[in-house]
């Protein structure tokens, strides 16, 4: 009787979720792997088997590797800045300052804005607002739109991504800080531990679970950035800010090379999965119990 009830509960609660997961994630992924072995152009009814020819096309696609290197550079800046900034702000917002709940909500707000909308808003800021400030003040850094220069356009991408992602990471770090044991912190203070010592030897180890989550989220989201890249710079000027995800999209849907584009997407997926897996493994080892 119990086994029947267990089977009924499984079908009622777990089966719909499993069906959606397979339909939305597993089956499309396997179909994508199949497409890497064909010459499909996205329109033709026939998909000719070409083996590993698409992967040799990826090796010869210098623009893909350039965009991938740029993505690595972008990820390094975004992950470090977002997590350092979010950790510091979360620390301040759990010290009992006046209006800290208001500030928490305010910092989280940018994360609620879609990447496409966010990109267009900041495009207006960099191209119009900053230029107007530069013309009225004579500050050279603002006289020309940042989006017209490759270096400044990259910096603009980093700034917008940090502004968007920091709020969500702040909430996670705030939850981590609020979960710290007061007894442990009081014992450290009684033993004469200074603020820096407490931060390094007590707070950081106890916060490693939050750090693990935030690093994983920022890594995965930064590697797969597309919406902000599309609406803010669209790869301009002259393709110098085209990230890997945008290049994959252009290769598959604009150039109609679905096989090569899917092969590049698979390589990007493997890279992100390996780096994220290593990061989670290393940071999990540093976690301690209070």
């Amino acid at each position: 009787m119990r086994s029947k009830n267990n089977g009924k509960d499984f079908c009622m609660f777990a089966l719909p979720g499993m069906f959606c997961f397979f339909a939305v994630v597993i089956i499309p992924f396997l179909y994508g792997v199949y497409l890497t072995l064909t010459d499909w152009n996205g329109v033709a009814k026939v998909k000719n088997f070409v083996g590993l020819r698409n992967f040799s096309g990826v090796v010869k696609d210098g623009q893909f590797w350039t965009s991938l290197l740029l993505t690595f550079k972008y990820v390094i800046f975004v992950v470090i800045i977002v997590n350092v900034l979010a950790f510091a702000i979360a620390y301040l917002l759990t010290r009992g300052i006046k209006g800290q709940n208001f500030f928490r909500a305010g910092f989280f707000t940018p994360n609620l804005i879609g990447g496409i909308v966010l990109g267009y808003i900041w495009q207006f800021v960099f191209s119009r607002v900053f230029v107007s400030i530069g013309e009225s003040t004579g500050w050279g850094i603002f006289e020309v739109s940042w989006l017209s220069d490759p270096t400044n356009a990259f910096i603009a991408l980093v700034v917008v991504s940090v502004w968007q992602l920091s709020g969500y990471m702040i909430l996670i770090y705030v939850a981590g800080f609020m979960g710290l044991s007061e007894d442990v912190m009081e014992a450290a203070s009684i033993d004469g531990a200074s603020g820096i010592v407490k931060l390094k030897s007590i707070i950081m180890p106890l916060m490693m679970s939050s750090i693990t989550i935030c690093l994983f989220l920022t890594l995965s989201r930064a590697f797969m950035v597309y919406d902000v890249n599309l609406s803010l710079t669209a790869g301009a000027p002259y393709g110098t800010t085209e990230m890997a995800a945008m290049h994959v999209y252009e290769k598959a849907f604009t150039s109609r090379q679905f096989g090569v584009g899917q092969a590049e997407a698979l390589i990007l997926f493997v890279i992100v999965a390996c780096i994220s897996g290593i990061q989670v493994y290393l940071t999990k080892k540093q976690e301690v119990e209070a």
Side-chain angles (χ1 to χ4, degrees):
M1 188 70 178
R2 179 176 293 180
S3 60
K4 287 185 178 180
N5 290 334
N6 289 340
K8 188 181 297 184
D9 292 340
F10 175 82
C11 292
M12 183 179 300
F13 295 105
L15 199 59
M18 289 182 61
F19 173 78
C20 292
F21 179 73
F22 273 89
V24 176
V25 178
I26 300 300
I27 294 176
F29 176 78
L30 295 176
Y31 183 66
V33 173
Y34 162 70
L35 288 180
T36 64
L37 307 175
T38 71
D39 64 350
W40 191 47
N41 62 5
V43 179
K45 294 182 179 179
V46 180
K47 301 179 182 70
N48 298 313
F49 183 80
V50 296
L52 299 177
R53 193 174 75 188
N54 289 326
F55 289 94
S56 65
V58 174
V59 174
K60 298 174 184 177
D61 188 358
Q63 192 175 355
F64 169 69
W65 298 108
T66 301
S67 66
L68 189 59
L69 286 175
L70 182 68
T71 304
F72 270 102
K73 180 181 175 183
Y74 167 84
V75 168
I76 291 171
F77 278 99
V78 169
V79 170
I80 293 175
I81 297 174
V82 165
N83 283 279
V84 171
L85 186 64
F87 188 91
I89 294 175
Y91 181 77
L92 293 175
L93 294 180
T94 51
R95 299 303 95 188
I97 64 173
K98 188 176 181 179
Q100 63 183 22
N101 290 332
F102 171 78
F103 287 116
R104 290 174 190 174
F107 282 118
F108 182 72
T109 301
N111 192 73
L112 301 176
I113 305 175
I116 295 292
V117 176
L118 194 67
Y120 284 124
I121 292 173
W122 277 93
Q123 186 185 89
F124 174 79
V125 172
F126 287 121
S127 299
R128 300 290 183 86
V129 177
F130 280 9
V131 172
S132 297
I133 294 173
E135 290 175 350
S136 60
T137 61
W139 295 346
I141 192 173
F142 294 139
E143 286 182 344
V144 180
S145 172
W146 283 22
L147 304 182
S148 63
D149 176 76
T151 302
N152 288 338
F154 175 80
I155 294 173
L157 275 170
V158 172
V159 168
V160 174
S161 298
V162 169
W163 190 76
Q164 181 187 29
L165 296 176
S166 294
Y168 189 38
M169 304 309 148
I170 286 171
L171 287 188
I172 297 175
Y173 283 127
V174 164
F177 278 117
M178 294 180 67
L180 294 179
S181 172
E182 291 294 332
D183 294 337
V184 174
M185 302 305 294
E186 288 177 7
S189 299
I190 293 172
D191 289 340
S194 64
I196 296 177
V197 172
K198 274 200 288 188
L199 179 64
K200 180 182 177 181
S201 302
I202 300 174
I203 295 177
M204 289 294 290
L206 293 176
M207 287 289 293
M208 283 308 299
S209 58
S210 298
I211 293 173
T212 298
I213 296 170
C214 289
L215 284 177
F216 175 78
L217 291 175
T218 48
L219 267 174
S220 56
R221 292 181 69 171
F223 264 114
M224 296 302 181
V225 64
Y226 173 75
D227 47 4
V228 172
N229 192 191
L230 174 66
S231 56
L232 184 62
T233 67
Y238 311 111
T240 54
T241 60
E242 184 179 82
M243 301 292 179
M246 174 174 281
H247 179 79
V248 168
Y249 178 88
E250 294 293 329
K251 178 67 70 173
F253 293 95
T254 302
S255 301
R256 294 289 182 184
Q257 300 179 49
F258 273 78
V260 178
Q262 188 60 44
E264 292 176 347
L266 183 61
I267 291 172
L268 180 61
F269 167 78
V270 171
I271 291 172
V272 176
C274 290
I275 293 176
S276 299
I278 293 171
Q279 172 262 307
V280 170
Y281 172 75
L282 293 177
T283 51
K284 277 283 187 182
K285 289 177 64 176
Q286 304 299 319
E287 293 182 11
V288 297
E289 293 290 337

